[in-house]
Amino acid sequence: MATKRSRRDSDEDEPVSKIKPSSNKGHWMLGLVKTMENPEMIVEEDDLCVMIKDAYPKACHHYLVLPRSEISSLKSLNRTHVSLLENMLTVGQTYVDKLKAKDPSLTFRLGYHGVPSMTRLHMHVISQDFDSPCLKNKKHWNSFNTEFFIDASTVIQMLKKNGQVIVDKGHYEELLKLPLKCHVCGCGLSNMPKLKSHILSHK
Ligand code: AMP
Ligand code: ZN
């Protein structure tokens, strides 16, 4: 029996940006591909990939880097994709470097969700403040602050070593249920409002 995929953003009402991420026509899982066609959402691009604004940013700075070629997810990758992933990382890192030149206090992680909710491979580029009204629930938090978030450099290493990225879906989905923990000091918090006010103390 086919298992239904959940959308971690189904509880989102409106994108934070006033600019519409894409037309609402079509299946929501294809939303990123539509957004790639919207010039107002594109921040960087080259021959191989496009970097877009995340329509429901979970931090002050949150972008997605997608290949132009139709690669659906980590599962579709093989050794021939190493240079593409390196290129995507370079595009993301170059943009991060520009942002950090303006504000050296910013810190970022660049990586992939073990089990993504949207189709077309996408690398998250996200600042570590997690200061956003779109960051609402435990799944959002744990998707960026447990092993569910796999650094881009780790994915590239896996691909070079094993020729594939193996994702144990059951294991990764369990990670989303872990208790909430601050990503800076490691202390446990009982709910999202407490976590969100706690992380502001690290600013
Ligand atoms: P993932 O869980 O890795 O599939 O993350 C998908 C990301 O896409 C989330 O961070 C969402 O906020 C973001 N997102 C959802 N729909 C859109 C859209 N139409 N355009 C741009 N970003 C989107
Ligand atoms: Zn803390």
Side-chain angles (χ1 to χ4, degrees), residues 179-197:
L180 294 171
K181 225 164 87 173
C182 170
H183 64 316
V184 178
C185 70
C187 78
L189 283 308
S190 55
N191 58 46
M192 280 305 286
K194 284 185 184 159
L195 175 67
K196 290 189 83 166
S197 81

Side-chain angles (χ1 to χ4, degrees), residues 7-9 12 21-22 28 30-32 34-35 41 52-58 62 64 112-113 115-119 122 124 143-144 148:
R7 184 186 188 188
R8 275 186 293 281
D9 294 297
E12 306 286 1
S22 62
W28 60 262
L30 297 168
L32 302 184
K34 290 298 290 177
T35 299
M41 292 294 278
I52 58 171
K53 295 176 196 167
D54 192 294
Y56 309 97
K58 307 300 186 293
H62 189 182
L64 304 168
Y112 298 83
H113 280 158
V115 183
S117 48
M118 305 287 284
T119 193
H122 50 281
H124 292 263
S143 73
F144 290 101
F148 192 90

